[in-house]
């Protein structure tokens, strides 16, 4: 059994095609097929159902693939140490960011970060917290930017503390002005699986899943969509400060502070304990903090809302 063979079967599992896996691994298809067959012979096990369309791992192979991903992740860690990558900001970096952070944080710093480190090839993907945790564990993502604490075995490096606000398009009973009071019956939420919905649930003791009334459910992971639905349906939602900063002046008039203690979310860098490229982690942290207001970097008299 070799590292190369493990790389081949993981590529096959991910791409579900011998030709695509061969292209990804920069080898010929016959060469990749031969190595996979050799591994199957050694294990005395069929790892892939060749007749399945698309190609799929057998039930017996799934646990082996999980172990293979862990081994490959650890082997990359060893290679990075031997190449001195623990002190260099070069090579490849894959980042996973949750959708309620990515559109508002990444444009603030990413261009400057690329200019500062031109030898670093960066790949960014937007996905949920659970997906980021899973892909870090499998070695598909190096670093996550998400809301913590996670209560997991990942390393968490807090970056900043972002206040949560009420966005209200609900009018007072007398019609005189927009209400600044939270009304759970008129609250729109992101779909389940998004940590902001979990935090709103903690604030309001609600179930996740966007709705204003029992007659309408609208599942979305987009803050922009939720705000527009609140506007059109005379509703409310809860938004993070960085998103509030992107609103136009008219929309900002609908943004109100929530009752004290001021609710905040903790945004952190996370990575596996085995990730050894500390120079990259530190460079990314410093670049993000350089583009974040200083007051956001302190908890002060604010309360972190659990996810």
């Amino acid at each position: 059994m070799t590292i190369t063979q493990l790389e081949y079967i993981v590529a096959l599992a991910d791409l579900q095609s011998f030709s695509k896996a061969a292209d990804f691994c920069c080898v010929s298809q016959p060469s990749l097929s031969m190595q996979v067959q050799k591994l199957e012979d050694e294990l005395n096990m069929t790892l892939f159902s060749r007749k399945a369309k698309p190609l799929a791992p057998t039930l017996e192979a799934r646990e082996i693939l999980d172990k293979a991903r862990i081994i490959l992740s650890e082997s990359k860690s060893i290679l990075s140490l031997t190449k001195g990558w623990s002190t260099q900001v070069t090579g490849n970096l894959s980042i996973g960011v949750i959708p309620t952070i990515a559109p508002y944080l990444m444009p603030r710093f990413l261009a400057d970060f690329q200019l500062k480190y031109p030898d670093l090839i960066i790949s960014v993907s937007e996905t949920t917290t659970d997906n980021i945790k899973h892909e870090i564990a499998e070695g598909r993502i190096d670093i996550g930017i998400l809301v913590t604490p996670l209560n997991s075995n990942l390393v968490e490096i807090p970056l900043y503390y972002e206040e949560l606000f009420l966005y209200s398009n609900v009018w007072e009973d007398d019609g005189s002005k927009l209400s600044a009071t939270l009304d759970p019956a008129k609250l729109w939420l992101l779909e389940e699986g998004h940590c902001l919905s979990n935090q709103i649930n903690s604030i309001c003791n609600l179930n996740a899943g966007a709705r204003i009334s029992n007659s309408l459910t609208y599942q979305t992971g987009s803050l922009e969509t939720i705000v527009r639905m609140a506007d059109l349906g005379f509703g409310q939602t809860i938004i993070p400060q960085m998103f509030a900063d992107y609103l136009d002046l008219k929309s900002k008039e609908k943004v109100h502070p929530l009752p004290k203690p001021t609710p905040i979310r903790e945004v952190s860098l996370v990575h596996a304990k085995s990730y050894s490229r500390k120079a990259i982690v530190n460079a990314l942290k410093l670049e993000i903090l350089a583009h974040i207001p200083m007051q956001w970097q302190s908890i002060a008299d604010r309360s972190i809302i659990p996810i």
Side-chain angles (χ1 to χ4, degrees):
M1 184 186 305
T2 67
I3 293 293
T4 298
Q5 289 172 334
L6 297 182
E7 289 175 342
Y8 289 175
I9 65 170
V10 167
L12 267 179
D14 290 344
L15 300 174
Q16 301 178 302
S17 162
F18 274 94
S19 59
K20 290 180 180 178
D23 288 342
F24 179 80
C25 296
C26 301
V27 296
S28 66
Q29 184 173 333
S31 177
L32 183 138
S33 299
M34 180 182 68
Q35 290 298 324
V36 172
Q37 185 63 59
K38 281 186 176 181
L39 181 58
E40 289 180 321
D41 292 343
E42 181 181 348
L43 298 174
N44 193 27
M45 177 186 295
T46 300
L47 297 176
F48 295 92
S49 301
R50 268 69 167 178
K51 294 182 180 180
K53 299 294 181 181
L55 185 76
T58 61
L59 289 175
E60 298 84 355
R62 292 178 181 176
E63 187 172 353
I64 291 174
L65 284 163
D66 289 341
K67 295 291 186 182
R69 294 185 193 279
I70 293 171
I71 292 169
L72 291 174
S73 177
E74 293 294 339
S75 69
K76 289 179 181 177
S77 175
I78 293 171
L79 287 172
S80 70
L81 286 173
T82 60
K83 293 180 180 179
W85 282 6
S86 60
T87 58
Q88 297 174 5
V89 186
T90 59
N92 297 311
L93 172 64
S94 55
I95 306 172
V97 195
I98 60 173
T100 59
I101 291 177
Y104 322 110
L105 173 64
M106 304 309 283
R108 287 180 177 235
F109 79 91
L110 196 54
D112 288 342
F113 189 59
Q114 285 182 296
L115 287 174
K116 190 174 292 185
Y117 302 103
D119 295 327
L120 189 64
I121 301 171
I122 306 168
S123 172
V124 180
S125 59
E126 289 188 29
T127 186
T128 63
T129 295
D130 284 344
N131 284 342
I132 291 174
K133 289 164 62 179
H134 184 67
E135 293 187 21
I136 288 178
E138 291 187 343
R140 299 187 191 184
I141 288 178
D142 297 317
I143 294 174
I145 302 177
L146 38 71
V147 175
T148 53
L150 298 176
N151 297 317
S152 70
N153 61 350
L154 297 177
V155 176
E156 300 177 8
I157 305 171
L159 294 170
Y160 59 91
Y161 303 91
E162 186 176 19
E163 185 172 346
L164 300 177
F165 291 90
L166 174 68
Y167 182 91
S168 177
N169 195 44
V170 174
W171 289 87
E172 298 282 5
D173 291 339
D174 60 8
S176 60
K177 62 180 180 178
L178 288 172
S179 174
T181 303
L182 177 63
D183 184 349
K186 297 180 180 180
L187 197 65
W188 285 83
L189 307 179
L190 296 175
E191 64 184 339
E192 291 186 36
H194 291 270
C195 58
L196 185 56
S197 271
N198 296 339
Q199 291 179 305
I200 295 172
N201 182 39
S202 297
I203 296 171
C204 309
N205 194 26
L206 297 171
N207 293 321
R211 82 254 187 240
I212 283 182
S213 68
N214 293 331
S215 63
L216 176 61
T217 298
Y218 193 107
Q219 298 290 330
T220 181
S222 166
L223 283 171
E224 286 85 353
T225 300
I226 288 293
V227 165
R228 289 175 185 173
M229 294 304 294
D231 278 338
L232 293 173
F234 298 103
Q236 298 178 332
T237 190
I238 291 177
I239 59 174
Q241 186 165 0
M242 202 172 287
F243 174 72
D245 290 347
Y246 275 86
L247 294 174
D248 58 42
L249 291 176
K250 185 176 181 181
S251 295
K252 285 181 178 179
E253 295 175 358
K254 303 175 184 178
V255 177
H256 307 280
L258 288 163
K260 293 185 180 298
T262 304
I264 59 173
R265 62 177 187 172
E266 179 182 75
V267 177
S268 301
L269 294 180
V270 303
H271 61 80
K273 291 181 179 177
S274 60
Y275 188 68
S276 60
R277 307 195 64 186
K278 307 305 181 187
I280 287 182
V281 174
N282 190 54
L284 184 60
K285 173 186 176 181
L286 291 177
E287 192 64 35
I288 292 173
L289 292 180
H291 292 78
I292 296 296
M294 283 293 295
Q295 61 267 30
W296 289 24
Q297 298 172 37
S298 170
I299 297 178
D301 296 324
R302 303 182 294 176
S303 175
I304 297 177
I305 304 301
I307 59 175

